[in-house]
């Protein structure tokens, strides 16, 4: 008769399988790093629980009884199942982390906050990336990237999820001829001397600087300075509010231009379950700025 009110201990099952493998209590005790008398007592506890003798002592060591022979494969399967369950949990725990990259002017606070609420035990970090850090996804500095399309990433290497779209706006100095307009069209801007083909849909990028003899500039602040000086004009997504912080610049809606698309990108085939969780959360809570409650223009 087994011990009432007690469950089968895996430790005892493991002890039994080791003794069965060695067919010797002394060698099994050495393998398990326990004293031989203690091992014998534990095997007796297991036999009492099961209500059957599992091992007989013989001059050569130990021999399985018929009950022990029947129990051994079941014991081995039980230990293997327990190990697989442990590994599955550990693997799940190890993947409950995600590093989220975001670029330019995008604000992802709502998605990160909601993701942490939904997965309080996960490790969630964010990383601001400049336009020169697009390789952060491929070299695994981040697990997912929220950015504006198009991105210089091979389509076969990434999985892309569209989140939302934003119209475009023109940014000009306050004394520019277009500064007082309620809107401008893409066709009007396409006539600019420096960019006769600037507004072909296939050639659109998120941030465009128009102006004759404009030098290549990486810094966003330097680009705004170039616009402020009257040497160029800029076409930006309406969600980029940084230009509105400057009193010497004016924004004007652009009609007829393809929208700027905000996307979430991850490495294709990445098994991290937090990427799917982020995708679902971002699609649920991230929207275009104009649709966000309480959003205002500066």
């Amino acid at each position: 008769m087994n011990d009432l009110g007690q469950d089968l201990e895996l430790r005892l099952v493991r002890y039994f399988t080791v003794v069965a493998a060695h067919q010797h209590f002394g060698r099994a005790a050495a393998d398990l790093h326990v004293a031989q008398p203690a091992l014998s007592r534990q095997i007796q506890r297991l036999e009492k629980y099961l209500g059957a003798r599992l091992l007989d002592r013989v001059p050569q060591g130990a021999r399985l009884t018929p009950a022990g022979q029947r129990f051994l494969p079941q014991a081995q399967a039980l230990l293997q199942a327990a190990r697989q369950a442990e590994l599955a949990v550990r693997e799940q725990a190890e993947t409950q982390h995600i590093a989220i990259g975001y670029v330019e002017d995008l604000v992802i606070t709502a998605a990160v906050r909601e993701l942490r609420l939904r997965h309080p035990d996960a490790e969630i970090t964010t990383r601001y990336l400049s336009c020169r850090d697009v390789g952060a996804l491929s070299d695994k500095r981040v697990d997912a990237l929220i950015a504006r399309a198009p991105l210089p990433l091979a389509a076969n290497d990434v999985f892309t999820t569209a989140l939302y779209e934003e119209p475009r706006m023109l940014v000009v100095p306050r004394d520019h001829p277009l500064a007082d307009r309620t809107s401008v069209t893409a066709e009007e801007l396409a006539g600019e001397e420096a960019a006769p083909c600037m507004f072909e849909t296939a050639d659109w990028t998120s941030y465009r600087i128009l102006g004759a003899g404009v030098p290549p500039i990486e810094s966003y602040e330097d680009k705004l300075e170039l616009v402020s000086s009257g040497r160029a004009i800029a076409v930006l997504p309406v969600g980029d509010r940084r230009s509105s912080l400057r009193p010497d610049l004016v924004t004007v809606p652009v009609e007829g231009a393809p929208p700027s698309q905000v996307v979430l990108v991850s490495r294709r085939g990445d098994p991290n379950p937090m990427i799917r969780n982020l995708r679902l959360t971002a699609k649920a809570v991230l929207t275009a700025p104009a649709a966000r409650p309480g959003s205002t223009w500066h």
Side-chain angles (χ1 to χ4, degrees), residues 279-291:
R279 186 178 299 118
L280 295 174
T281 302
K283 290 189 70 173
V285 304
L286 291 185
T287 58

Side-chain angles (χ1 to χ4, degrees), residues 129-162:
L129 302 174
S130 72
C131 60
R132 298 181 298 276
D133 291 327
V134 70
L137 183 65
S138 57
D139 63 20
K140 298 186 179 181
R141 281 179 286 160
V142 298
D143 302 301
L145 173 63
I146 298 179
R148 296 185 186 275
L151 292 169
L153 299 171
N156 292 336
D157 296 336
V158 297
F159 184 86
T160 302
T161 301

Side-chain angles (χ1 to χ4, degrees), residues 23-25 27 56-63:
Q23 297 186 23
H24 195 282
F25 275 87
R27 289 193 291 268
D56 285 332
R57 290 184 179 273
V58 296
Q60 295 81 10
R63 181 178 59 193

